[in-house]
C-alpha cells in the first residue's frame, strides 16, 4: 500500500492541485494531518477535495479555530484575521465537517497520524530534542506529524545493538523494524523551510520507505487570490520565501 501523506494545506488550492497532479499514480490512498484551512483563499475547495479524496483526516489547530471550536487566542493578529475570514467563508456544511474531525493520534494500522505530537495535538516538534521526548511514548511506531510546516524526520533505532537517534536525509528514510520514527511530510500550502515549493511525502508499506517530494505550483495565482480576497498582503508574500 502506498500512502500520499499531506499536511498543512492551509486553503492553498493551487499547491494542492499541483501536488495531486504530480503524485498521480504513485499512491493508493490519501491521508491528511490537519490544518486544511486558514491563511489561504480557498477554504471550501480544499475542504471539499479532502472530504472526497482522503481516507483518513485529523484536525489541526487552524481547523479548530476556523470552524469555531476554539477561540484563536494564541494566534498572532494576522492568523486571527485569517481565522475570522475563513469562518465567514466556510459553508455551514464544511464548518460542521471540520468540527467533527477526530483529534490525533489516529492509528490507521501501518502508522499513527498526529497534527502536533503524540502527546499534544498543538505541540511543535521542531528538532531532535523535541522528538526525543516523544520516542518513549511511540512504542516503535511510525508517526506522521505536521504543524511546523518543516519537511523532515527524526528516528530512534538500534545500531549495532545500541540505541541511536538521528535525522532523516532530504530524500527520505526507511522504517525498519524496531524503529521509532517521526516524519513530517512538509506543508502543502505554506512551507516554512525556506523553500516555496509544496511539500508532501509518499509512504510505501511494502518497501517500508518514506520519500519526500517538493512540487512547484502556480505561486503567483495563489498570491493574487489572497490579496483579492482581502486577506493580509504578508500572507501572500511569505509563500514566495517559504517562511
Ligand atoms: Zn499549520
Amino acid at each position: 500500500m502506498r500512502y500520499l501523506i499531506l499536511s498543512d494545506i492551509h486553503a492553498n488550492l493551487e499547491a494542492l492541485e499541483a501536488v495531486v497532479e504530480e503524485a498521480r499514480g504513485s499512491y493508493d490512498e490519501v491521508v491528511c494531518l490537519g490544518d486544511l484551512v486558514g491563511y489561504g483563499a480557498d477554504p471550501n475547495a480544499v475542504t471539499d477535495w479532502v472530504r472526497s479524496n482522503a481516507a483518513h483526516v485529523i484536525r489541526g489547530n487552524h481547523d479548530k479555530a476556523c470552524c469555531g471550536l476554539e477561540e484563536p487566542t494564541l494566534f498572532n493578529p494576522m492568523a486571527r484575521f485569517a481565522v475570522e475570514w475563513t469562518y465567514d467563508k466556510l459553508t455551514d456544511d464544511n464548518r460542521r465537517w471540520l468540527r467533527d474531525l477526530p483529534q490525533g493520534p489516529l492509528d490507521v494500522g501501518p502508522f499513527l497520524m498526529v497534527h502536533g505530537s503524540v502527546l499534544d495535538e498543538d505541540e511543535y516538534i521542531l528538532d531532535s530534542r523535541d522528538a526525543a521526548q516523544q520516542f518513549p511514548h511511540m512504542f516503535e511506531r511510525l508517526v506522521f506529524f505536521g504543524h511546523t510546516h518543516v519537511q523532515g524526520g527524526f528516528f530512534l533505532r538500534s545500531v549495532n545493538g545500541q540505541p541511536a537517534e538521528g535525522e532523516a536525509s532530504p530524500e527520505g528514510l526507511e522504517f525498519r523494524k524496531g524503529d521509532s520514527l517521526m516524519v513530517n511530510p512538509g506543508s502543502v500550502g505554506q512551507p516554512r523551510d525556506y523553500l516555496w515549493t509544496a511539500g508532501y511525502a509518499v509512504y510505501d508499506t511494502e518497501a517500508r520507505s518514506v520519500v519526500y517530494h517538493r512540487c512547484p505550483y502556480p505561486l503567483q495565482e495563489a498570491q493574487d487570490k489572497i490579496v483579492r480576497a482581502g486577506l493580509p498582503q504578508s500572507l501572500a508574500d511569505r509563500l514566495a520565501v517559504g517562511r
Side-chain angles (χ1 to χ4, degrees):
M1 184 79 136
R2 298 160 309 163
Y3 291 91
L4 176 61
I5 318 284
L6 305 179
S7 191
D8 298 278
I9 304 167
H10 282 291
N12 186 337
L13 183 64
E14 285 68 33
L16 174 63
E17 285 178 342
V19 163
V20 171
E21 181 60 31
E22 183 182 90
R24 194 184 300 279
S26 72
Y27 65 89
D28 307 298
E29 243 177 40
V30 182
V31 303
C32 178
L33 308 173
D35 277 5
L36 286 68
V37 299
Y39 297 134
D42 278 305
N44 284 307
V46 166
T47 303
D48 289 342
W49 188 91
V50 174
R51 285 181 73 163
S52 355
N53 291 283
H56 306 284
V57 190
I58 55 169
R59 70 187 190 185
N61 52 321
H62 284 260
D63 303 320
K64 281 190 286 182
C66 290
C67 71
L69 204 58
E70 210 170 86
E71 285 296 318
T73 44
L74 296 173
F75 286 52
N76 64 45
M78 197 175 57
R80 201 174 315 146
F81 186 95
V83 162
E84 278 152 20
W85 183 92
T86 304
Y87 181 89
D88 288 339
K89 268 279 171 310
L90 282 169
T91 63
D92 290 345
D93 193 42
N94 278 338
R95 223 183 282 125
R96 211 172 308 123
W97 183 82
L98 288 169
R99 211 171 285 151
D100 289 339
L101 281 179
Q103 166 183 1
L106 181 68
D107 189 344
V108 300
F111 53 86
L112 297 175
M113 296 165 58
V114 304
H115 184 65
S117 86
V118 175
L119 301 173
D120 179 352
E121 62 177 341
D122 295 331
E123 183 182 2
Y124 290 91
I125 302 298
L126 291 161
D127 53 31
S128 47
R129 228 185 10 204
D130 294 336
Q133 308 290 319
Q134 303 291 312
F135 293 142
H137 308 279
M138 285 169 53
F139 309 107
E140 302 179 351
R141 294 290 307 267
L142 168 60
V143 175
F144 285 103
F145 72 102
H147 198 34
T148 63
H149 300 206
V150 176
Q151 195 171 54
F154 308 96
F155 62 78
L156 173 68
R157 63 172 47 135
S158 169
V159 176
N160 300 325
Q162 296 297 316
E165 290 177 13
E167 285 191 37
S169 78
E171 295 78 43
L173 70 179
E174 205 182 316
F175 176 48
R176 302 180 202 152
K177 207 172 154 44
D179 284 357
S180 294
L181 215 62
M182 291 213 73
V183 174
N184 191 325
S187 167
V188 171
Q190 197 202 70
R192 293 181 195 156
D193 39 18
Y194 300 102
L195 295 172
W196 67 274
T197 44
Y200 68 98
V202 174
Y203 175 52
D204 184 329
T205 56
E206 230 165 272
R208 297 181 75 87
S209 69
V210 179
V211 178
Y212 293 119
H213 297 271
R214 298 306 286 233
C215 174
Y217 70 93
L219 173 68
Q220 183 79 53
E221 216 169 298
Q223 290 178 309
D224 289 349
K225 269 194 196 171
I226 285 172
V227 175
R228 274 205 310 272
L231 285 159
Q233 174 76 40
S234 53
L235 289 178
D237 295 343
R238 69 186 299 180
L239 292 180
V241 284
R243 198 60 207 165

